[in-house]
Amino acid sequence: MHFIKNLTASALVALGLGATGALAAGASDNYVKDYEFSFEGPFGAYDVNQLQRGLQIYTEICAACHGLKFVPIRTLGDENGPSLPEEQVIEYAKQYEVFDPELDDFREAKPTDHFPESNIETAPDLSLMAKKRAGFHGPYGLGINQFLKGMGGPEYIASLLTGYTGEEKEQAGVIFYENTAFPGGWIAMAPPLYGDDVEFADGHATDIESLSKDVSAFLMWTAEPKMMARKQAGFAGVVFLTLLSVLLYLTNKRLWAPVKNRVKD
């Protein structure tokens, strides 16, 4: 994988990324597309290649403003994550600098360190964004649709990244961009993706929708890295409870059968 080495202040200006915000007035009937992700459903799993592509997109584009302060860099080598080799994780960490209280100075990051925080005060941290945002609400925002579609955090992120219409307007000295997925319809963050923003080693598609889905899947992993373990535990629990229910039923029949027969007699 190819990663940029340094993310400087000039890169922030070049990318034109700003803080996220909405106008005080406006409707909340935002449009979120129901994308299909490999990790959905009781037996779904993360696509390692997609997570690696999402990591590249985050590194080359999103990291200029947004941080992942709750994510240890070492987890990039986890089996149910991007699964980078140990050497790549070590090299990846070196592109960041972290403050070391013992040295009272900045030093090169190690895999045991966490990703840096957001570079801009008003840019939200993305560590848990896929769990914090809900994509599907239902009538009157009651969340009814979530019973069938789930929370839809990754769908919301992907829809937001593809939802820019190209319209702009200025209010109180701030430029707002029309976005069909953002509540209120206007957002202060300029479009971060335009299509063909990165180049993948595997030759995967780089249109804006593909990029949006890849980075959304990666952010889902940062928000819930243990999803596969949770699903496995849940499946084992269902199997155990099913067997227990059968055993209890048979035990109940065996214990009460003589009593029922005496009552009949």
Side-chain angles (χ1 to χ4, degrees), residues 181-216:
F182 193 73
W186 296 88
I187 186 172
M189 181 177 73
L193 299 175
Y194 294 92
D196 299 326
D197 303 83
V198 299
E199 183 177 346
F200 296 125
D202 62 1
H204 195 271
T206 56
D207 58 277
I208 187 170
E209 183 171 274
S210 297
L211 295 177
S212 300
K213 291 178 64 178
D214 289 344
V215 74
S216 298

Side-chain angles (χ1 to χ4, degrees), residues 12-225:
L12 295 178
V13 179
L15 289 171
L17 296 175
T20 301
L23 298 176
S28 60
D29 53 344
N30 51 307
Y31 171 73
V32 175
K33 184 176 179 180
D34 189 7
Y35 291 102
E36 291 186 5
F37 289 100
S38 63
F39 50 79
E40 294 178 331
F43 303 106
Y46 288 121
D47 182 337
V48 174
N49 292 328
Q50 185 176 47
L51 294 185
Q52 291 182 358
R53 293 193 302 268
L55 171 63
Q56 182 176 345
I57 297 168
Y58 168 79
T59 305
E60 297 189 13
I61 299 176
C62 307
C65 296
H66 300 278
L68 294 172
K69 63 180 180 180
F70 297 116
V71 182
I73 298 176
R74 59 176 170 77
T75 58
L76 295 178
D78 286 357
E79 182 179 355
N80 290 322
S83 299
L84 297 184
E86 183 179 357
E87 316 83 66
Q88 287 192 24
V89 176
I90 295 173
E91 289 301 315
Y92 180 87
K94 291 180 180 179
Q95 70 183 304
Y96 295 111
E97 285 189 339
V98 296
F99 183 79
D100 192 329
E102 295 183 3
L103 301 176
D104 195 27
D105 197 2
F106 286 90
R107 60 165 173 79
E108 197 174 71
K110 303 175 182 178
T112 51
D113 294 311
H114 285 217
F115 279 81
E117 298 185 20
S118 298
N119 289 321
I120 300 177
E121 185 177 351
T122 52
D125 185 86
L126 298 181
S127 304
L128 306 175
M129 190 60 66
K131 296 288 287 185
K132 291 169 63 178
R133 293 292 182 264
F136 307 118
H137 301 280
Y140 306 105
L142 297 177
I144 297 175
N145 290 352
Q146 294 170 6
F147 287 107
L148 299 175
K149 297 183 178 181
M151 291 295 291
E155 285 85 354
Y156 169 80
I157 295 174
S159 297
L160 179 74
L161 294 174
T162 59
Y164 288 92
T165 65
E167 296 295 323
E168 303 177 9
K169 70 177 179 180
E170 183 177 351
Q171 180 170 317
V174 178
I175 301 297
F176 287 90
Y177 304 85
E178 188 176 29
N179 189 292
T180 57
F182 193 73
W186 296 88
I187 186 172
M189 181 177 73
L193 299 175
Y194 294 92
D196 299 326
D197 303 83
V198 299
E199 183 177 346
F200 296 125
D202 62 1
H204 195 271
T206 56
D207 58 277
I208 187 170
E209 183 171 274
S210 297
L211 295 177
S212 300
K213 291 178 64 178
D214 289 344
V215 74
S216 298
F218 172 71
L219 292 178
M220 186 66 222
W221 172 78
T222 65
E224 195 165 0

